[in-house]
Amino acid sequence: AFRFDTKILVERAIDAREIEVAVIGNDRPRASVPGEILCSRDFYTYDAKYSDGETKLQIPAQIPESLAGQLAETACRAFRTLDAAGLARVDFLLDRKSQALYVNELNSLPGFTTGSMFPRLWEATGMSFSALLDRLIELGLERHARRSQLAHNAPR
């Protein structure tokens, strides 16, 4: 790896389920039901996501209700911790053996087609695609109004 860059990151491999939660909001984020990626390969590659037609999305994920609550709470906490706004998708790894939960990443600009995980998670939570668009516009206007009240010049 050092042949390609001066910094590398090494992570321990785990046998994990990939669970995703959509989040919307500004200061008070709200989480969707969790969904699971059921990949037909050892790794969720570009081909597995877009080409082979074997990967499935299970919405909602088949997990205990207590775990779904923990995922929602952790997704919103990650959203607030990173000072995210508007929308994000928080991806988790759930260790199959220990059931340990890891935040894998926060995607601040998730896919947004009708077939993408983000709107599908909200649809399963009870928010239609058009209602989701309306809510995101409201959140953007809310954030703009709040930020436009900030001073832009330092006092002399």
Side-chain angles (χ1 to χ4, degrees):
F2 281 120
R3 289 182 26 224
F4 299 99
D5 205 335
T6 57
K7 296 177 185 168
I8 61 170
L9 174 66
V10 178
E11 297 177 287
R12 178 174 40 108
I14 60 170
D15 179 22
R17 297 169 65 183
E18 185 164 341
I19 312 284
E20 299 184 347
V21 176
V23 179
I24 57 171
N26 287 332
D27 297 330
R28 292 179 305 280
R30 181 176 155 217
S32 71
V33 297
E36 182 171 6
I37 295 171
L38 302 173
C39 186
S40 61
R41 301 174 181 212
D42 290 338
F43 295 99
Y44 189 42
T45 63
Y46 180 91
D47 287 336
K49 184 172 185 176
Y50 296 107
S51 302
D52 72 10
E54 298 294 319
T55 297
K56 305 290 183 231
L57 304 179
Q58 186 167 28
I59 304 170
Q62 299 300 300
I63 57 174
E65 195 172 313
S66 61
L67 179 56
Q70 182 183 358
L71 286 160
E73 181 182 317
T74 304
C76 288
R77 190 171 22 157
F79 188 89
R80 286 189 303 271
T81 298
L82 295 174
D83 198 25
L87 74 157
R89 191 191 67 238
V90 182
D91 299 349
F92 294 90
L93 297 175
L94 177 63
D95 190 301
R96 291 180 195 276
K97 276 188 184 173
S98 69
Q99 298 299 298
L101 187 62
Y102 301 92
V103 174
N104 186 41
E105 68 175 323
L106 184 140
N107 187 327
S108 61
L109 195 56
F112 208 89
T113 67
T114 53
S116 297
M117 183 67 113
F118 184 88
R120 289 180 65 185
L121 288 169
W122 281 113
E123 183 177 20
T125 305
M127 188 180 301
S128 70
F129 192 77
S130 61
L132 179 58
L133 290 173
D134 289 343
R135 182 63 183 135
L136 290 170
I137 291 167
E138 290 169 4
L139 289 166
L141 292 171
E142 174 188 297
R143 183 171 164 87
H144 173 72
R146 190 174 66 241
R147 293 182 62 87
S148 65
Q149 294 175 0
L150 298 174
H152 296 287
N153 297 318
R156 292 181 185 226

